[in-house]
Amino acid sequence: NYTLSIEDIDTAPYVIGGEEGYKSNIDGFKTYVNGDLEEGKAYAIYKKGRAIIDPETGQVIAYHATLTGTGKALRAGNKENKEPATIFVEGATREIRASDILKPVNEGQLLPSLFTMQGPSEGVSGSIIETTSGLGEFGKLEVVYLNRGAQDSIKQGDVLTIERLSPGIIETDKGPEYVKDTSRWV
């Protein structure tokens, strides 16, 4: 699972087309990019997916993304002079289309192999937005998206508790039932 930040969407280089002029391209082709790349550097290419929305504010905080391929920059380009960069795609996993976003491979993606588990340095509360599996119920070792992060003093290794209000229960003549499963007359 990959995510793209709002900043990625607004500032990252993106595909403007392929050398053959097709709407979508696959392995072994050159594509042109609207942005400055570093010649010889490897890049991952992502398709922007659906928005991840903060349930408290209703604002978009990031986007899901799908890896469409990888490639190496052949020409750096010059965005200021409107000269596109060129990338040779050598690892397409899906069709690569105009507007797909490029990110340097592994830049900012390497996590430390060792960190200390601790509580956050400040009291913080937030909400789980969703799980990487997309399921509403989850258990141990599931990865979840939170509407809190580094700007809220959350660091790698911070351990947080999860609290959930249990559904209401009503005593009926058949025994206890969830409120949502009973008629309003009960």
Side-chain angles (χ1 to χ4, degrees), residues 71-125:
K72 194 165 279 186
L74 299 178
R75 191 176 78 177
N78 188 323
K79 188 174 179 180
E80 194 175 294
N81 292 339
K82 297 186 179 180
E83 296 172 16
T86 306
I87 189 167
F88 183 75
V89 176
E90 51 199 1
T93 58
R94 296 173 181 251
E95 292 180 333
I96 295 172
R97 296 178 174 255
S99 80
D100 285 358
I101 291 173
L102 277 77
K103 297 285 292 173
V105 171
N106 291 333
E107 193 169 287
Q109 298 171 352
L110 297 176
L111 301 174
S113 58
L114 222 49
F115 51 83
T116 304
M117 304 269 271
Q118 75 258 328
S121 57
E122 299 175 16
V124 68
S125 66

Side-chain angles (χ1 to χ4, degrees), residues 17-183:
E19 68 178 333
E20 301 295 326
Y22 300 126
K23 285 187 177 181
S24 58
N25 296 283
I26 52 172
D27 264 352
F29 71 96
K30 291 178 188 171
T31 189
Y32 303 111
V33 174
N34 182 18
D36 300 330
L37 303 181
E38 190 176 318
E39 209 169 298
K41 191 169 192 167
Y43 288 86
I45 306 165
Y46 297 98
K47 175 183 172 33
K48 180 177 112 176
R50 66 184 169 80
I52 299 172
I53 298 171
D54 184 332
E56 293 175 8
T57 64
Q59 293 183 354
V60 174
I61 55 175
Y63 289 89
H64 287 281
T66 304
L67 180 69
T68 57
T70 56
K72 194 165 279 186
L74 299 178
R75 191 176 78 177
N78 188 323
K79 188 174 179 180
E80 194 175 294
N81 292 339
K82 297 186 179 180
E83 296 172 16
T86 306
I87 189 167
F88 183 75
V89 176
E90 51 199 1
T93 58
R94 296 173 181 251
E95 292 180 333
I96 295 172
R97 296 178 174 255
S99 80
D100 285 358
I101 291 173
L102 277 77
K103 297 285 292 173
V105 171
N106 291 333
E107 193 169 287
Q109 298 171 352
L110 297 176
L111 301 174
S113 58
L114 222 49
F115 51 83
T116 304
M117 304 269 271
Q118 75 258 328
S121 57
E122 299 175 16
V124 68
S125 66
S127 299
I128 294 174
I129 298 171
E130 62 184 82
T131 65
T132 55
S133 64
L135 301 173
E137 299 290 327
F138 57 90
K140 214 172 181 178
L141 303 179
E142 177 72 68
V143 176
V144 297
Y145 294 102
L146 303 176
N147 65 342
R148 299 291 182 263
Q151 71 277 11
D152 304 296
S153 301
I154 302 287
K155 300 180 295 307
Q156 291 169 356
D158 282 357
V159 178
L160 306 170
T161 59
I162 299 172
E163 298 173 356
R164 176 176 67 176
L165 182 62
S166 295
I169 296 176
I170 294 178
E171 186 64 47
T172 69
D173 55 354
K174 298 178 207 164
E177 289 186 28
Y178 290 117
V179 171
K180 66 179 180 74
D181 296 335
T182 60
S183 73

